Amino acid sequence: VIMPQGSAQGRANQLATLAGLEFELFTSEEIGALLQDLNGVYGDYDSDEASIVRVLWREWEQMRRLPPDLTSRIQEAGSVGRQAWVRARETNDFALFKPHLEKMIDLQVELAEAIGSASGNRYDALLHNFEPGLTFAYIDSVFRELKPELIALTRAVAERADAVDDSVLKRHYPEVDQLRFGEEIAAALGYDFQRGRLDLSPTAFTSAFHKDDVRITTRINADNVLVALGGIIHEAGHGIHRQSLSPSLYRSGIDGTGLAIAETLSRYYENVIGLSYEFWTYFFPRAQAYFPHLADTDLITWYRAFNKAQPSLIRTDADEVTYGLHIMIRFELENELINGRMRVDELPAAWNARMETYLGIVPPTDREGVLQDTHWSQGGFGYFPDYLLGTIFASQLDEQISAQQPDIKEDWTRGDFAGTTGALVERIMQHGGKYTFGELIRRNTGEDLSAEPYLRHLKTKYGAIYEF
Ligand SMILES: [Zn+2]
């Protein structure tokens, strides 16, 4: 982001060398023998030592199954594929991308077969790559319950589209003021600028070099304030997560987590906190201080605008109600592609058919349809479901935390998020990669992943906003 443009190739070479050395050292016989010796030495499942051995053994075993050159072949195909995808999207020409996608799917099948899966579903191996322990069956059982309800909610808000006017968000908001306001929000939520920074980039992301150097980025649209504020709050959630690792796990090898756990935190901040009335009770007057033209607007108008829901074509622009359906389309198509039940040339039509069934709209072009995301071009198969799994778990957590600390949302109206961030650190963030997604859900709720709290949240909130 702040590296000179001409430096990219040199940095890429350095990273490739380091990644190769890391793979070679980590997958050595010696590390395997050491881990095996330590297996079972530390009795307490929750101890740092037992967790480090358990998690690293799991990773060692998996990485040993990969053909040594497969990762670099995927990286190479991904960098060529990404360029083809950029051109295909620019010119709205799926045919340009098709051979690259076919090649990438072949490589992903090779990867999945090398890793293997207990169920026989190849897709499970890819899901496991992004969040250990996830399977198609596990995710499908929750998505299946959610899908008809989300379709019904999407219809309900679409029929009442005029009920919410979000034009206030689309006024002119100077970029500098958006950044400063975003910084104030991120700091209030608990993101530590002594150990982090906020920069601009074409898409928002978080980079954690270590727990005391965690950087976030956002994009800014001067004519739509939702883009940067939503992005900053989401990435601040990732940032707080990475800054809150227990010092005892620092440089332990299990400092990071899978994506579903990471998305639970970012979506908690973005949706549960950042879209709430309590949050804006405190921050709307602050917004008025940064953007004087908001003097003519009131809190309720602002809150409703921020929560406008409607079927839309682009996943990254989707709201809380419709977002899940965008994910389900990708999840279902990935499963079919990886298992050889769908050909790449059938993909654009299948995409559009599902958009029509789930969201009631059809992309007029592939650019606004199957070509919109970069993930597949770089081999990110099995990545998408984690966004929605995190969103679902965030609602479960919200119900748990609210039941145990009933005053916590009252704090939000005063701009005080210490209790909430403290609860999330205690429950999830401090643990790094100790526990799987499923383990964290059971430890925190005593139950498995459930779509019910998320549905209750959507029905209550959007029922009130849209009066159904
Ligand atoms: Zn994220």
Side-chain angles (χ1 to χ4, degrees):
V1 167
I2 55 171
M3 187 170 64
Q5 252 192 351
S7 317
Q9 187 57 48
R11 177 62 62 91
N13 293 344
Q14 293 176 327
L15 289 175
T17 302
L18 285 173
L21 285 170
E22 183 192 23
F23 185 86
E24 207 180 300
L25 289 168
F26 182 66
T27 56
S28 69
E29 291 292 345
E30 189 190 0
I31 292 287
L34 288 169
L35 286 169
Q36 214 156 15
D37 282 351
L38 290 170
N39 234 336
V41 167
Y42 303 102
D44 178 7
Y45 191 90
D46 294 331
S47 73
D48 290 347
E49 292 81 2
S51 301
I52 289 167
V53 173
R54 178 178 69 244
V55 172
L56 292 183
W57 173 250
R58 185 182 69 208
E59 288 177 10
W60 185 87
E61 257 220 295
Q62 173 168 334
M63 285 179 86
R64 286 279 291 191
R65 296 182 202 173
L66 302 183
D69 65 333
L70 182 57
T71 311
S72 60
R73 279 192 285 134
I74 290 175
Q75 258 168 19
E76 246 176 71
S79 79
V80 180
R82 194 189 133 77
Q83 289 166 28
W85 167 77
V86 169
R87 278 196 312 279
R89 193 171 71 148
E90 269 167 15
T91 54
N92 188 39
D93 186 356
F94 183 76
L96 283 180
F97 181 45
K98 182 173 163 275
H100 298 276
L101 184 56
E102 283 168 342
K103 184 171 180 204
M104 182 53 82
I105 289 170
D106 288 345
L107 287 165
Q108 295 293 313
V109 168
E110 194 182 336
L111 176 67
E113 291 189 335
I115 296 172
S117 70
S119 66
N121 182 338
R122 287 171 185 161
Y123 188 39
D124 286 359
L126 303 182
L127 291 165
H128 176 85
N129 245 353
F130 290 104
E131 183 64 64
L134 287 185
T135 64
F136 176 81
Y138 176 88
I139 300 171
D140 189 50
S141 69
V142 177
F143 283 9
R144 202 179 280 270
E145 182 191 345
L146 194 53
K147 187 158 74 177
E149 302 269 9
L150 288 186
I151 291 174
L153 279 166
T154 298
R155 291 223 173 103
V157 299
E159 281 162 12
R160 295 163 181 78
D162 296 340
V164 174
D165 174 8
D166 68 345
S167 57
V168 66
L169 303 179
K170 291 164 185 168
R171 293 176 179 175
H172 184 70
Y173 292 85
E175 296 193 5
V176 174
D177 299 320
Q178 289 196 50
L179 261 184
R180 287 213 191 101
F181 185 36
E183 278 172 356
E184 178 180 331
I185 292 173
L189 292 172
Y191 178 72
D192 181 358
F193 278 93
Q194 290 301 310
R195 301 182 291 138
R197 51 182 290 145
L198 171 62
D199 290 287
L200 291 180
S201 66
T203 54
F205 66 93
T206 299
S207 263
F209 298 98
H210 54 78
K211 76 177 180 57
D212 297 323
D213 184 356
V214 181
R215 309 181 191 192
I216 62 175
T217 73
T218 188
R219 64 190 167 112
I220 295 193
N221 180 342
D223 302 311
N224 185 351
V225 74
L226 188 59
V227 171
L229 292 186
I232 291 170
I233 298 172
H234 180 100
E235 300 308 327
H238 282 308
I240 296 165
H241 178 199
R242 300 306 301 269
Q243 288 179 333
S244 303
L245 178 76
S246 161
S248 67
L249 290 176
Y250 178 50
R251 293 175 67 104
S252 65
I254 59 168
D255 319 34
T257 69
L259 274 174
I261 296 170
E263 285 301 311
T264 301
L265 277 325
S266 55
R267 302 289 278 178
Y268 194 100
Y269 283 89
E270 181 186 4
N271 288 355
V272 178
I273 300 178
L275 296 177
S276 70
Y277 190 77
E278 292 88 349
F279 175 86
W280 286 112
T281 301
Y282 177 76
F283 273 112
F284 180 62
R286 298 298 303 136
Q288 288 177 310
Y290 283 96
F291 311 108
H293 61 71
L294 291 176
D296 67 354
T297 304
D298 59 8
L299 169 61
I300 187 73
T301 306
W302 178 264
Y303 165 74
R304 288 169 64 87
F306 239 79
N307 283 284
K308 186 174 178 69
Q310 60 197 338
S312 61
L313 297 170
I314 306 294
R315 174 186 62 86
T316 52
D317 296 339
D319 52 76
E320 214 183 358
V321 175
T322 58
Y323 188 83
L325 294 171
H326 290 270
I327 296 301
M328 288 178 195
I329 290 173
R330 289 153 178 80
F331 170 69
E332 293 167 8
L333 293 174
E334 285 185 342
N335 182 53
E336 292 178 26
L337 288 164
I338 295 298
N339 284 297
R341 291 204 295 272
M342 180 181 291
R343 293 193 319 269
V344 171
D345 56 11
E346 298 170 313
L347 184 59
W351 180 287
N352 291 353
R354 277 179 172 79
M355 280 295 290
E356 179 157 34
T357 312
Y358 299 173
L359 286 138
I361 50 176
V362 180
T365 64
D366 286 338
R367 188 211 306 256
E368 295 154 287
V370 68
L371 285 174
Q372 66 182 268
D373 298 305
T374 178
H375 302 55
W376 289 343
S377 74
Q378 291 161 286
F381 283 82
Y383 187 131
F384 285 116
D386 293 334
Y387 294 119
L388 182 55
L389 294 169
T391 305
I392 294 169
F393 181 29
S395 280
Q396 267 180 289
L397 267 177
D398 178 36
E399 285 197 353
Q400 284 284 321
I401 294 173
S402 299
Q404 286 179 13
Q405 295 161 268
D407 298 332
I408 223 159
K409 292 191 179 173
E410 190 60 34
D411 295 347
W412 298 359
T413 65
R414 295 187 302 272
D416 176 2
F417 302 94
T420 303
T421 291
L424 293 170
V425 170
E426 177 71 29
R427 287 164 174 269
I428 300 186
M429 298 188 196
Q430 62 164 329
H431 297 305
K434 259 189 185 183
Y435 302 112
T436 65
F437 183 62
E439 284 175 333
L440 278 178
I441 296 169
R442 277 189 298 280
R443 286 174 63 92
N444 275 287
T445 68
E447 295 165 5
D448 283 327
L449 184 67
S450 163
E452 276 168 36
Y454 181 48
L455 277 172
R456 265 197 291 277
H457 160 75
L458 291 180
K459 284 178 183 170
T460 310
K461 180 174 172 181
Y462 292 89
I465 293 174
Y466 283 87
E467 294 175 14
F468 53 76

